Amino acid sequence: STSIIPAWHVLAYYGVYFWLGTQLFTPEGRRGIGLDRISSRGAIAVPIAVVGLFPVAIDSSVYGNNPSAVVTAVAQTTFCWAMGIGILGLGALMFSRPRRWVRWLSDASYWMYLAHLPLVIVAQRWARSVSWPALVEIGAIVAANSIVLFLSYRWVIRRSPIGRLLNGPLPPTVPEMY
């Protein structure tokens, strides 16, 4: 959308995902789809999406081998839904019990989301001055920014007022990741 008023079809597309989120994470006593209903059974959707849907979606949109815009749209939308449900299912399967390091990464992720952009801009300016292969440059940018953000979260943000604002108060017995 190029205007301040979003296109109705884009708003509707993302609105459906938003609606699903409200149904998955409903408060106690309120009827909804519920994350527990997706559980680990949803994990089977990832290989189906990657093997069955991704080739159709990428072939028809990138290479233009399929003249039908409807086939492309259906394949891409179904791929997005299958991956979303599949990732939720994998999460339910792999992270069904609490893990300290997962909680720490989860808490750090909001800080990283908020603070990453200026670092990426600076790193991209640096990347313009080197002539490395693109994947190496991207890897270096991601690795360097992740290290800076993880360290800043651990030593500056986690137990500060900013950390409490981002993640709420930590119980006094919550140990660090290491």
Side-chain angles (χ1 to χ4, degrees):
S1 184
T2 57
S3 81
I4 195 160
I5 300 171
W8 70 268
H9 64 282
V10 174
L11 195 60
Y13 180 80
Y14 288 109
V16 172
Y17 287 104
F18 181 80
W19 171 83
L20 178 64
T22 65
Q23 297 305 300
L24 289 175
F25 300 101
T26 56
E28 281 291 320
R30 191 170 150 226
R31 191 163 168 78
I33 296 169
L35 190 57
D36 58 329
R37 293 190 57 197
I38 288 179
S39 70
S40 60
R41 291 172 291 193
I44 191 67
V46 171
I48 290 170
V50 170
V51 174
L53 293 168
F54 185 71
V56 174
I58 197 73
D59 187 50
S60 58
S61 67
V62 173
Y63 301 111
N65 293 335
N66 186 345
S68 172
V70 172
V71 171
T72 300
V74 168
Q76 290 175 355
T77 303
T78 307
F79 174 79
C80 288
W81 277 98
M83 285 300 289
I85 290 170
I87 295 296
L88 286 171
L90 280 174
L93 182 66
M94 296 172 65
F95 303 114
S96 59
R97 64 181 176 87
R99 291 184 174 89
R100 218 175 27 185
W101 67 272
V102 172
R103 175 56 190 252
W104 193 91
L105 287 176
S106 175
D107 288 349
S109 68
Y110 194 34
W111 164 247
M112 295 177 75
Y113 167 72
L114 292 174
H116 83 281
L117 193 56
L119 296 176
V120 170
I121 291 169
V122 168
Q124 285 176 333
R125 178 147 317 231
W126 162 82
R128 289 177 59 191
S129 68
V130 297
S131 58
W132 296 350
L135 289 177
V136 174
E137 288 180 15
I138 291 169
I141 289 171
V142 169
N145 286 336
S146 295
I147 289 168
V148 168
L149 290 167
F150 279 136
L151 290 175
S152 67
Y153 179 74
R154 167 65 174 94
W155 296 107
V156 178
I157 300 301
R158 183 156 175 85
R159 297 205 180 268
S160 74
I162 297 171
R164 284 190 292 283
L165 178 67
L166 296 177
N167 300 319
L170 292 174
T173 60
V174 172
E176 293 300 331
M177 187 169 76
Y178 45 85

